[in-house]
Amino acid sequence: MSDGWLALLQQALSLLFSLDSDVWSIISISFSVSFAALLITLVPSMVLGFVLAFAPFRGKWIVTNLVQTLQSIPTVVIGLLVYLLLTRNGPLGDLKWLFTQEGMILGQMLICAPVLIAMSQAAFTSVDRRAWETSRTLGASWCRAVWTVCRELRMPLLLAIVAAFSRILTEVGCSMMVGGNILNVTRNIPTAIALETSKGDFAQAIALGLVLLILALILNFALGGLRGKAMPRSH
């Protein structure tokens, strides 16, 4: 590694460990917005995934294909849709959410939901239906029976949550269009990396990239540990 890269890495680490206000404001906004979008979307998406897996109804294949299609839509297109909804003359213009964290949360919810629905549907489809049927036969309520199935599928569902969170935490297009990349208001990690790189301020971009890298490592190690605990031990 050249001296120039070492100097940039040192500057990046210095920004993180010195608790630089701009850097940590960006990190705080990024995580708070993405966590809010995930938490709001989580339960309804899981329920819909369960319904698509277990409940027969007319038009089910249409809903399933629509969800799968929504997963592949570029985030910038979702950003455009949300922008048009929130603009002054749009249907949701009265909310005044354009270039706010609330608008970013709405956009990330639309990105997050299809991932959660599709992956939870796949998980619920793979489960042994006898767990559900036995719970209902024994008099368990609908909610308790669903909880029993979720416990059986805790690893696939956790993977779905991690995948959805990773997608919204790292997306750029929607956050840039709906949030406006305003410092200390709507600037998050991906938009800040794009901006600082274009300005040639690589130290801050590297610092924020390190945060995403460390998060990815933590999540992977945590999931690996949980997966190891879930595997049956041989005697």
Side-chain angles (χ1 to χ4, degrees), residues 102-126:
E102 289 80 4
M104 292 172 66
I105 290 170
L106 177 61
Q108 291 192 6
M109 286 171 61
L110 295 179
I111 297 169
C112 178
V115 178
L116 283 173
I117 295 169
M119 293 188 70
S120 60
Q121 180 188 1
F124 287 126
T125 301
S126 68

Side-chain angles (χ1 to χ4, degrees), residues 46-57 60 120-134 136 142 145-146 148-150 153:
M46 292 287 186
V47 170
L48 184 53
F50 180 88
V51 170
L52 289 174
F54 279 83
F57 58 90
K60 178 177 176 178
S120 60
Q121 180 188 1
F124 287 126
T125 301
S126 68
V127 76
D128 188 344
R129 288 177 177 262
R130 287 176 295 182
W132 164 260
E133 294 167 355
T134 301
R136 295 294 286 160
W142 190 87
V146 171
T148 300
V149 175
C150 288
L153 295 170

